[in-house]
């Protein structure tokens, strides 16, 4: 089992149809990766999972997981509003998520004690509105064709990563890479502003602006990931790898990288499971793998705390944990 | 449902609607659920456990779907899964931090995503789900039987009885956990009991509003009440009344339109909350209420 897992660069080359991969990946391309849908799923999924892991790390750090949950739920409304009004689904996703992200930012006004009730009320109403649009959409289509009841809603809620077209996959990869890059650029000031907002503000860091910018990144990430794992399961990609990374190490940059890496590893494992086991929805496989990863991290952290009280959060376990998760693909 | 028309002759309308036994059952079930949600929701908002409430209610979806898969009644699925999830959240040692803060919320969120994924798996395995996924997620008032109403009422009575017993210490422990712990109140045990009550409530509410919109009935009326008054007794009463109004108005509206009941209940309760907040802001600005 030494080099069966290609690096992301090779994967990108594979998905783009670059001739290079034939040298390195002959057994893989002859197998599962010969299917274009699997290549698209891998390409889009990798970018989405990395972005969700990085963004999720900050969500957990800033105690904004509930906000992430709200954004993922409003993605449903955006998508269905666009469908019902006859626009492209992706436009609704992005517009809806970014608008709600800004609204949530204004509601919280950068305050650290986010108002859970206001956020929850907003998104439960938004979900209700989503159902309204779903009814509008399905009854509008009932005249033309019957039997499509709820199909659109289900695919937005739970995603269809194996149903991505080439165009969707490239967009997803581009947006995911963009979110990753933006998070990496913002990481240092954002870390400062999250850990100690007062001192950061005193040192001239634009704390409020960063808060808005970060929420917009979360919105973009939610909109993108909705197409792959669906708006309901997106929370698994946002919270589980980041929560695991927070458990495993207290060092910020290491945890940030670990969250991204765990997200990608869990997504690959989930895709492989979804491909290998017939009838298993890939969205479930991805979420289940992410949950297993979190449970493993929970166990590792508990054992370590019991074993060596004095040593503090070392990262010895992180390398070991990446192994079993990462080699599944 | 689209064939019925609202005639503005309220008496005739009501007579038509009550002619359907399922509508009568729906109103009864709605009343039971609203009273329960109003009471438990008030404590949920006070304890800032709204995220846990949302997660526990989302669990109802895999519960109902799993029950359909193995061929048990959906009521058993709702209660079984919601109570089990409440136990998991209560027993797992909480990571540092209270309320909806970071690491703890990551745990809650992971549990929520996993269970929703399980629900999706169950519906994927069981193809002939009556009424589809949407009814489970967003509510339906069709086909509520008299037995179901009886079960709802019995569970609600039990939950309210327990809540009445633990109510006072729970109020103390929620308002000021540190002082309560110092005075010998078992804060952690109370928290666990409350999570179980919350689980049972979420299971009840989910059967009416759908798993995803429990928040609208569990949290919104209570939050509205807490905007309007800080006194416990008055707040609880107001919360129950608001929940009842939202449910019955929602049922009424859903009867006359093709949209699911969840849309109306969430719209009415969110509208009430926005109005209450606006009223309070206005009152504070003009000096009627000290902040």
């Amino acid at each position: 089992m030494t080099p069966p897992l290609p690096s992301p660069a090779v994967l990108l080359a594979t998905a783009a149809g670059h001739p290079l991969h034939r040298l390195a990946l002959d057994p893989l391309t002859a197998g599962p990766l010969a299917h274009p849908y699997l290549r698209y799923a891998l390409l889009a999924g990798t970018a989405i999972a990395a972005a969700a892991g990085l963004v999720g790390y900050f969500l957990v750090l800033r105690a904004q997981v509930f906000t992430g949950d709200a954004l993922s739920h409003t993605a449903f409304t955006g998508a269905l509003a666009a469908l019902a009004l006859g626009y492209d689904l992706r436009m609704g996703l992005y517009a809806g998520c970014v608008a709600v992200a800004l609204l949530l930012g204004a509601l919280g006004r950068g305050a650290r004690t986010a108002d859970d009730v206001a956020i929850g009320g907003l998104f439960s109403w938004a979900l209700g509105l989503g159902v309204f649009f779903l009814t509008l959409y399905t009854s509008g289509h009932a005249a033309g064709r019957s039997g499509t009841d709820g199909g659109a809603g289900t695919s937005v809620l739970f995603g269809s990563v194996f149903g991505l077209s080439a165009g969707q996959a490239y967009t997803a990869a581009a947006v995911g890479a963009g979110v990753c890059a933006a998070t990496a650029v913002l990481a240092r000031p954002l870390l400062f502003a999250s850990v100690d907002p007062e001192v950061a503000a005193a040192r001239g860091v634009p704390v409020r602006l960063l808060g808005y910018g970060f929420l917009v990144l979360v919105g973009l990430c939610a909109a993108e990931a909705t197409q792959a794992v669906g708006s309901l399961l997106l929370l698994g990609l946002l919270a589980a790898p980041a929560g695991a990374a927070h458990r495993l190490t207290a060092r910020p940059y290491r945890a940030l990288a670990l969250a991204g890496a765990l997200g990608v590893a869990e997504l690959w494992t989930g895709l492989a499971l979804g491909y290998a086991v017939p009838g298993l929805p890939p969205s479930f496989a991805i979420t289940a793998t992410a949950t297993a990863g979190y449970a493993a991290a929970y166990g590792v952290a508990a054992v370590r705390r019991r074993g060596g009280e004095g040593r503090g959060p070392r990262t010895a376990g992180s390398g070991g944990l990446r192994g079993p998760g990462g080699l599944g693909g | 449902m689209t064939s019925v028309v609202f005639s503005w002759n309220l008496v005739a309308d009501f007579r038509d609607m009550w002619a359907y036994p399922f509508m009568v059952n729906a109103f009864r079930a709605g009343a039971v659920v609203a009273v329960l949600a109003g009471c438990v929701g008030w404590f949920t908002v006070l304890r800032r456990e709204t995220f846990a409430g949302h997660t526990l209610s989302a669990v109802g979806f895999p519960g109902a779907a799993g029950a359909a898969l193995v061929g048990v009644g959906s009521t058993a699925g709702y209660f079984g899964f919601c109570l089990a999830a409440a136990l998991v959240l209560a027993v797992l040692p909480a990571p540092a931090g209270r309320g909806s803060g970071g690491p703890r919320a990551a745990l809650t969120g992971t549990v929520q995503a996993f269970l929703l994924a399980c629900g999706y798996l169950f519906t994927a395995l069981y193809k002939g789900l009556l009424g589809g996924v949407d009814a489970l997620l967003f509510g339906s008032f069709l086909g509520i039987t008299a037995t179901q109403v009886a079960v709802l009422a019995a569970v609600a009575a039990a939950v309210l009885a327990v809540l009445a017993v633990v109510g006072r210490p729970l109020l103390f422990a929620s308002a000021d956990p540190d002082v309560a712990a110092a005075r010998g109140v078992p804060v952690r045990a109370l928290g666990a009991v409350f999570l179980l009550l919350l689980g049972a409530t979420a299971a009840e509410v989910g059967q009416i509003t759908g798993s995803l919109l429990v928040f609208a009935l569990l949290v919104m009326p209570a939050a509205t009440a807490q905007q309007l008054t800080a006194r416990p007794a008055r707040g609880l009463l107001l919360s129950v009344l608001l929940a009842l109004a939202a449910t019955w108005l929602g049922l009424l509206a859903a009867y006359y339109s093709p949209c699911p009941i969840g849309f109306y209940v969430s719209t009415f309760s969110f509208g009430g909350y926005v109005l209450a907040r606006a009223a309070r802001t206005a009152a504070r600005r003009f000096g009627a209420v000290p902040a």
Side-chain angles (χ1 to χ4, degrees), chain B residues 9-288:
Chain B
N9 180 354
L10 282 176
V11 179
D13 280 338
F14 265 99
R15 200 179 301 137
D16 284 351
M17 201 163 58
W18 288 115
Y20 295 104
F22 77 83
M23 268 327 272
V24 180
N25 280 337
F27 271 85
R28 281 186 193 140
V32 170
V33 163
V35 171
L36 182 64
C39 292
V40 176
W42 191 83
F43 281 99
T44 312
V45 175
L46 185 71
R47 295 173 61 80
R48 305 188 167 278
E49 297 207 78
T50 49
F51 193 27
H54 177 60
T55 297
L56 287 178
S57 55
V59 176
F61 169 56
L69 185 62
V70 297
V72 203
S74 66
T75 315
Y78 273 111
F79 285 115
F81 266 65
C82 288
L83 288 177
L87 263 182
V88 168
L89 286 187
V91 167
L92 280 184
R98 193 169 160 262
S100 68
R104 162 130 211 177
L107 170 65
T108 315
T110 307
V111 170
Q112 180 190 338
F114 177 64
L115 286 161
L116 283 172
C118 285
Y120 181 50
L121 176 70
F122 295 156
T123 50
L125 292 178
Y126 182 80
K127 301 230 162 38
L129 200 63
L130 201 65
V133 179
D134 294 333
L136 290 182
L137 289 176
F138 300 114
S140 155
F141 58 90
L142 300 172
I144 296 175
T145 61
T147 333
Q148 230 172 329
V149 177
V151 173
L152 286 179
V155 173
V159 170
L160 286 177
V162 176
L163 193 63
V165 172
V166 301
R168 276 192 80 86
L170 187 63
L171 191 61
F172 191 16
S174 311
D176 198 337
D178 297 334
V179 176
R183 293 281 287 274
V185 177
V187 175
R188 266 209 76 170
L190 275 176
V193 168
F194 181 72
L195 270 179
L196 282 179
L197 295 183
L198 190 58
T201 309
E204 293 235 319
V205 179
Q207 296 181 39
I208 301 292
T209 60
S211 297
L212 284 184
L213 298 176
V214 167
F215 210 89
L217 206 52
L218 186 66
V219 174
M220 282 294 101
T224 312
Q226 293 200 354
Q227 289 287 325
L228 296 175
T229 173
R231 297 194 196 176
R234 206 179 279 182
L236 273 169
L237 185 67
L238 196 58
S239 164
V240 167
L241 289 179
L242 285 168
L244 207 55
T247 314
W248 280 2
L249 282 177
L251 273 173
L252 204 60
Y255 178 74
Y256 287 106
S257 88
C259 287
I261 174 171
F263 166 62
Y264 292 107
V265 172
S266 63
T267 302
F268 292 147
S269 47
F270 184 67
Y273 177 69
V274 169
L275 282 181
R277 265 194 92 138
R280 191 170 149 184
T281 310
R284 200 186 295 163
R285 180 151 305 167
F286 297 115

Side-chain angles (χ1 to χ4, degrees), chain A residues 197-285:
Chain A
E198 282 87 8
V199 176
R203 293 280 288 274
V205 177
V207 173
R208 277 192 56 183
L209 202 63
L210 271 176
Y212 277 107
F214 173 65
L215 280 177
V216 168
L217 280 184
V218 182
L220 286 177
C221 183
E224 196 47 65
T226 296
Q227 295 173 49
V229 291
S231 69
L232 286 187
L233 308 186
L234 160 62
L235 191 60
L237 277 185
L238 280 178
H246 272 274
R247 299 230 122 196
L248 288 175
T249 172
R251 300 191 191 181
Y253 289 114
R254 200 170 281 184
L256 187 63
L258 186 60
L262 273 177
V264 171
E266 285 159 359
L267 184 116
W268 284 350
T269 317
L271 281 183
L273 279 176
Y275 173 80
V277 183
L280 190 73
S283 307
F284 170 78

Side-chain angles (χ1 to χ4, degrees), chain A residues 10-324:
Chain A
V10 179
L11 269 178
L12 278 170
T14 315
H18 199 276
L20 238 182
H21 70 274
R22 299 228 173 273
L23 299 171
L25 293 167
D26 223 23
L28 261 182
T29 40
L33 282 185
H35 302 290
Y37 77 89
L38 203 58
R39 286 208 301 266
Y40 296 146
L42 259 179
L43 174 67
T46 305
I48 288 169
L54 295 184
V55 164
Y57 171 77
F58 283 105
L59 276 180
V60 176
L61 184 70
R62 297 164 64 85
Q64 284 185 320
V65 178
F66 198 49
T67 311
D69 192 20
L71 276 174
S72 62
H73 284 33
T74 45
F76 171 69
T77 311
L80 283 171
L83 280 181
L85 303 176
Y87 294 104
D88 185 41
L89 178 137
R90 273 181 282 175
M91 214 176 93
L93 272 176
Y94 287 112
C97 284
V98 171
V100 173
L102 291 175
L103 188 61
L104 287 175
L107 262 182
R109 219 168 291 159
R112 301 307 308 276
T113 51
D115 192 348
D116 271 9
V117 171
I119 295 174
L122 188 72
F123 88 68
S124 75
W125 179 62
L127 268 180
L129 212 58
V131 188
F132 169 75
F133 285 125
L134 178 63
T135 315
L136 214 63
Y137 178 66
T138 45
S139 59
H141 275 243
R145 55 201 164 108
S146 56
T148 58
D149 233 32
T154 313
S155 103
V156 174
L157 284 174
F158 296 108
S160 51
V161 69
F162 283 163
L164 293 177
S165 69
Q168 283 172 324
Y170 291 136
T171 322
V175 173
V179 170
C180 284
T183 316
V185 169
L186 287 183
R188 215 182 135 76
L190 193 57
L191 208 57
F192 193 12
S194 308
V195 173
D196 199 336
E198 282 87 8
V199 176
R203 293 280 288 274
V205 177
V207 173
R208 277 192 56 183
L209 202 63
L210 271 176
Y212 277 107
F214 173 65
L215 280 177
V216 168
L217 280 184
V218 182
L220 286 177
C221 183
E224 196 47 65
T226 296
Q227 295 173 49
V229 291
S231 69
L232 286 187
L233 308 186
L234 160 62
L235 191 60
L237 277 185
L238 280 178
H246 272 274
R247 299 230 122 196
L248 288 175
T249 172
R251 300 191 191 181
Y253 289 114
R254 200 170 281 184
L256 187 63
L258 186 60
L262 273 177
V264 171
E266 285 159 359
L267 184 116
W268 284 350
T269 317
L271 281 183
L273 279 176
Y275 173 80
V277 183
L280 190 73
S283 307
F284 170 78
I286 294 168
T287 315
T289 320
T291 311
Y294 183 80
Y298 198 100
V300 168
V303 168
R304 204 191 291 158
R305 202 175 311 139
R306 197 161 301 165
E309 289 284 22
R311 301 200 65 186
R314 292 268 297 121
T315 45
S318 60
L321 197 86
R322 259 155 84 178

